[in-house]
């Protein structure tokens, strides 16, 4: 069996803050920075003192119910070389413990991870039930949450238009400089630029071409496990290849280009397991003569602090 590579933009279970005990909803309490807490003291009379609270807020993460339901009739493999791997006797169609089963399980796990990346960013419970919408309508992702007018996250103004040379440098500069000081002051390794592929390749072209203010290729690129990783002002620029198709079909925002700058651990994933891709059951149903894979888990997203996110998007025209 030959597997087509399943591309995955990132390992979401290790790059974000994961809360593995969310059964349905959980309140995330946050303490935003305080200001002007040190005031003059004129004696025991506190009538002139302007009282302040602890500035404690709350966000709620809701984990929706997820299911993986796959099955395959054994006659699909009749007359193929896979049939040679079948067992003998009564267990002839039982693939448990075979190399074929291991291959199938690997493919399913990789596909689950890829679907969760899509849900993490572009999940939309308002997407409806049309064909294709069932892949993203089980929970709200970060883009939907950031677009909610009730939050304090506002996208940086970016006039519509196709990407011109060095546009990626300009917008990443604007997004970074528009961000809150609390985000800017964090260590570079704790932050990331998540960008759509067109923005990513536009930035690479600027780096390779030695655009003014950007410098040479080696100043902004390192090899990690043989894979080039690019940086802007010391912060990793991570391409999200799935965003091209997700932006084209999304009802959340109208955009072809997207840049998100933020603290990695400010983005929270809520689930009822440590790793949903490992919660799989595989068995052979003798009555129906089918191989079956099932998985059930909870999954949801939320961000904590408004101040640790800065983003921008625009359409080509």
């Amino acid at each position: 069996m030959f597997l087509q590579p399943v591309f995955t933009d990132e390992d979401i279970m290790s790059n974000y803050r994961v809360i593995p005990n969310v059964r349905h909803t959980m309140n995330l309490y946050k303490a935003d920075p305080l200001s002007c807490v040190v005031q003059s003291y004129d004696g025991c009379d506190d009538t002139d003192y302007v009282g302040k609270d602890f500035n404690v807020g709350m966000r709620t993460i809701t984990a929706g119910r997820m299911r993986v339901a796959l099955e395959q009739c054994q006659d699909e493999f009749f007359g193929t070389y896979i049939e040679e791997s079948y067992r003998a006797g009564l267990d002839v169609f039982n693939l448990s413990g075979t190399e074929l089963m291991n291959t199938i399980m690997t493919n399913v796990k990789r596909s689950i991870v890829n679907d969760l990346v899509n849900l993490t960013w572009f999940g939309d419970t308002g997407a409806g039930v049309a064909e294709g919408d069932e892949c993203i309508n089980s929970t709200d992702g970060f883009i939907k949450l950031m677009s909610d007018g009730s939050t304090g996250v506002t996208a940086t103004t970016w006039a519509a238009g196709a990407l011109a040379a060095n546009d990626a440098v300009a917008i990443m500069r604007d997004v970074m400089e528009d961000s809150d000081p609390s985000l800017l002051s964090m260590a570079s390794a704790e932050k990331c630029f998540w960008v759509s592929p067109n923005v990513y390749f536009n930035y690479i072209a600027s780096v390779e071409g030695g655009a003014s203010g950007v410098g040479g290729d080696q100043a902004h690129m390192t090899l990690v496990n043989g894979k080039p990783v690019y940086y802007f002002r010391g912060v990793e620029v991570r391409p999200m290849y799935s965003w091209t198709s997700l932006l084209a079909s999304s009802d959340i925002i109208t955009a072809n280009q997207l840049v998100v700058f933020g603290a990695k651990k400010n983005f929270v994933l809520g689930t009822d397991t440590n790793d949903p891709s490992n919660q799989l059951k595989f068995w052979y149903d003798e009555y129906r003569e089918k191989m079956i894979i099932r998985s059930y888990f909870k999954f949801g997203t939320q961000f904590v602090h408004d101040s640790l996110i800065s983003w921008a998007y625009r359409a080509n025209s």
Side-chain angles (χ1 to χ4, degrees):
M1 178 178 291
F2 299 93
L3 294 179
Q4 176 178 334
V6 179
F7 72 87
T8 302
D9 288 324
E10 56 184 353
D11 181 1
I12 59 175
M13 301 307 290
S14 62
N15 285 331
Y16 304 130
R17 186 189 305 274
V18 179
I19 302 178
N21 59 342
V22 180
R23 301 298 180 184
H24 179 51
T25 62
M26 178 179 287
N27 294 330
L28 307 177
Y29 291 94
K30 60 191 183 78
D32 293 324
L34 300 170
S35 62
C36 196
V37 296
V38 179
Q39 300 183 12
S40 62
Y41 176 62
D42 298 324
C44 295
D45 184 5
D46 63 356
T47 56
D48 294 331
Y49 178 74
V50 179
K52 292 181 177 291
D53 58 28
F54 297 144
N55 206 16
V56 174
M58 181 186 71
R59 284 223 161 87
T60 301
I61 185 168
T62 301
R65 294 182 178 88
M66 310 291 165
R67 181 179 79 153
V68 177
L70 303 171
E71 55 187 49
Q72 184 71 63
C73 182
Q74 46 83 18
D75 63 6
E76 181 71 21
F77 303 121
F78 284 178
T80 69
Y81 79 93
I82 296 176
E83 193 173 350
E84 301 300 321
S85 70
Y86 285 167
R87 295 175 173 180
L90 295 176
D91 279 339
V92 63
F93 298 129
N94 187 354
L95 296 181
S96 299
T98 66
E99 190 62 33
L100 175 57
M101 189 204 83
N102 295 334
T103 302
I104 292 172
M105 293 294 280
T106 298
N107 188 39
V108 173
K109 288 180 180 181
R110 289 158 56 186
S111 299
I112 290 174
V113 171
N114 192 56
D115 282 352
L116 290 181
V117 172
N118 296 343
L119 271 174
T120 295
W121 286 99
F122 279 87
D124 181 8
T125 54
V129 293
E131 183 177 355
D133 289 341
E134 69 273 10
C135 300
I136 60 170
N137 65 5
S138 53
T139 192
D140 287 329
F142 295 138
I143 300 300
K144 178 71 174 290
L145 297 171
M146 291 190 301
S147 301
D148 186 345
S150 64
T151 70
V153 181
T154 303
T156 297
T157 301
W158 194 10
L163 282 167
N166 305 321
D167 269 3
V169 174
I171 190 56
M172 286 194 292
R173 183 182 293 131
D174 288 345
V175 167
M176 176 176 278
E177 293 176 359
D178 284 350
S179 62
D180 193 89
S182 58
L183 177 58
L184 293 173
S185 64
M186 295 180 66
S188 294
E190 298 176 352
K191 300 177 288 192
C192 186
F193 275 102
W194 293 272
V195 301
S196 54
N198 45 12
V199 175
Y200 178 70
F201 290 119
N202 186 278
Y203 178 63
I204 291 179
S206 296
V207 172
E208 293 173 342
S212 176
V214 178
D217 184 73
Q218 296 305 315
H220 297 272
M221 187 270 286
T222 60
L223 288 174
V224 179
N225 296 325
K227 181 180 179 180
V229 177
Y230 285 84
Y231 300 86
F232 178 75
R233 294 181 174 177
V235 178
E236 179 187 352
V237 179
R238 184 172 298 168
M240 303 295 288
Y241 295 110
S242 61
W243 283 6
T244 299
S245 59
L246 291 169
L247 284 169
S249 60
S250 176
D251 293 327
I252 305 172
I253 57 175
T254 301
N256 305 99
Q257 306 152 36
L258 176 60
V259 175
V260 179
F261 173 51
K264 299 175 185 177
K265 297 303 181 182
N266 189 52
F267 295 97
V268 180
L269 306 181
T271 180
D272 60 348
T273 176
N274 287 323
D275 188 350
S277 67
N278 286 329
Q279 305 299 310
L280 290 174
K281 292 183 178 180
F282 180 98
W283 73 93
Y284 175 66
D285 186 325
E286 294 182 357
Y287 178 74
R288 295 194 295 160
E289 296 183 336
K290 286 188 175 183
M291 295 168 289
I292 298 173
I293 294 177
R294 291 290 187 271
S295 179
Y296 300 91
F297 56 90
K298 303 286 187 63
F299 187 80
T301 67
Q302 186 56 272
F303 61 87
V304 183
H305 299 285
D306 301 343
S307 59
L308 299 184
I309 302 174
S310 182
W311 67 310
Y313 62 88
R314 73 173 181 178
N316 287 336
S317 60

